[in-house]
Amino acid sequence: MRTLPKLMVAPNGARKTKADHPVLPMTLDELVTTAIECHAAGADGLHLHLRDEDGGHILDAGMYRDALNALRQAVPEMLLQITSEAVGIYGPAEQRRVVEQAKPEAASVSLAEMLADGERQEAIAFYDRCAQADIAVQHILYGPQDLETMSDLLDDGSLNREDLQLIFVLGRYTQGQQSSPADLNPFVTWMQQTCPISQWAVCAFGKQETACLGAALAQGGNARVGFENSFWNADGTIAASNAERVREVMALPRATRNFAAS
């Protein structure tokens, strides 16, 4: 199993456009340029969303393969992780299929979305095939229901605690999607009790994104930063670029020590 990046950048997401921020990358050329800038700023991983000709979210294996090839040439030292996010467009079978056909080194997969059709055994078989294909699956967990479901899958042996990669999403269901460092506490408590050897990361929404990521790094976790979740710097200003958000997290005192030790 690959090691989870210490600082992954998520530069665009599925829904935001240049109306939200003028330099939000939407084309492949823009993503490649952003990846180069963010790697130079300190990011060692990239969370990849692609857009169609109209700027909409798309899961397409061929487009993913082309994008991964271009990014591998531009930033060979970055881990490249594709998204399987549904965005209300794709079902679990389509999500599973695009991951397996694109054959990335890593993919993020929402536990809730994978089980949305009730096909639990299909989801478990998908996770097994990804492991056999050396695709690192990072399970997205949003809240208590996801934690309970993950506990069940670990307890019955459907998933292996030793190979687990997780991302805790802070503030998804808060008013205005404004995360707080305190949102991390239930996730960390659950993890320490259930799967203490798992690799884990945090992403967060809103003006306290930097504080949330600092809290995760201080507790031995990893961070995912970028315009997918927030445009805000810690001082209340809007970042000029994804690379600026990367630099701010890299400058955190605890982050500096954690990166030096990784």
Side-chain angles (χ1 to χ4, degrees):
M1 178 65 69
R2 293 176 177 83
T3 300
L4 199 62
K6 202 66 185 178
L7 182 57
M8 181 176 287
V9 63
N12 56 359
R15 298 172 176 84
K16 293 176 180 175
T17 70
K18 291 186 185 296
D20 298 294
H21 196 295
V23 304
L24 186 131
M26 297 182 67
T27 68
L28 179 54
D29 286 345
E30 290 171 342
L31 282 166
V32 168
T33 297
T34 298
I36 292 169
E37 294 171 349
C38 289
H39 181 251
D44 56 344
L46 177 81
H47 176 71
L48 179 61
H49 283 259
L50 296 179
R51 304 299 185 88
D52 61 22
E53 292 182 354
D54 298 320
H57 172 68
I58 188 168
L59 298 182
D60 181 280
M63 289 179 64
Y64 265 142
R65 288 192 295 268
D66 290 344
L68 291 170
N69 286 335
L71 286 161
R72 287 187 189 114
Q73 292 182 40
V75 284
E77 296 179 353
M78 291 185 88
L79 182 136
L80 305 176
Q81 178 194 76
I82 70 169
T83 186
S84 63
E85 188 174 355
V87 195
I89 302 172
Y90 300 95
E94 295 171 295
Q95 293 169 279
R96 292 190 287 265
R97 184 164 54 250
V98 77
V99 171
E100 293 187 75
Q101 291 179 350
K103 296 180 173 61
E105 58 186 327
S108 68
V109 180
S110 164
L111 187 64
E113 289 182 357
M114 273 298 102
L115 299 172
D117 59 0
E119 297 292 340
R120 181 186 176 105
Q121 292 307 313
E122 288 294 330
I124 294 169
F126 164 73
Y127 294 135
D128 287 342
R129 291 193 298 271
C130 285
Q132 293 168 11
D134 198 25
I135 299 172
V137 172
Q138 186 179 32
H139 303 276
I140 307 170
L141 304 177
Y142 289 101
Q145 183 60 55
D146 287 347
L147 298 182
E148 182 178 341
T149 302
M150 178 59 75
S151 293
D152 291 343
L153 292 172
L154 293 171
D155 289 343
D156 69 13
S158 298
L159 291 175
N160 188 343
R161 284 177 169 83
E162 295 182 358
D163 297 330
L164 208 59
Q165 292 189 356
L166 309 171
I167 184 164
F168 304 138
V169 182
L170 307 188
R172 173 69 177 270
Y173 301 115
T174 59
Q175 185 174 4
Q177 287 194 342
Q178 292 293 323
S179 307
S180 164
D183 296 334
L184 178 59
N185 296 338
F187 290 100
V188 171
T189 298
W190 168 85
M191 182 190 63
Q192 291 173 343
Q193 295 172 348
T194 308
C195 48
I197 63 173
S198 62
Q199 299 182 55
W200 62 283
V202 162
C203 66
F205 295 92
K207 296 182 180 181
Q208 294 195 71
E209 181 187 39
T210 300
C212 292
L213 301 185
L217 291 167
Q219 296 184 64
N222 305 296
R224 196 185 85 183
V225 68
F227 284 0
E228 175 170 349
N229 296 111
S230 177
F231 301 125
W232 297 93
N233 290 320
D235 64 2
T237 60
I238 298 294
S241 65
N242 279 285
E244 184 175 321
R245 295 296 304 123
V246 170
R247 284 191 292 271
E248 178 163 279
V249 175
M250 286 294 297
L252 293 170
R254 291 188 181 273
T256 301
R257 290 199 291 273
N258 285 348
F259 277 101
S262 63

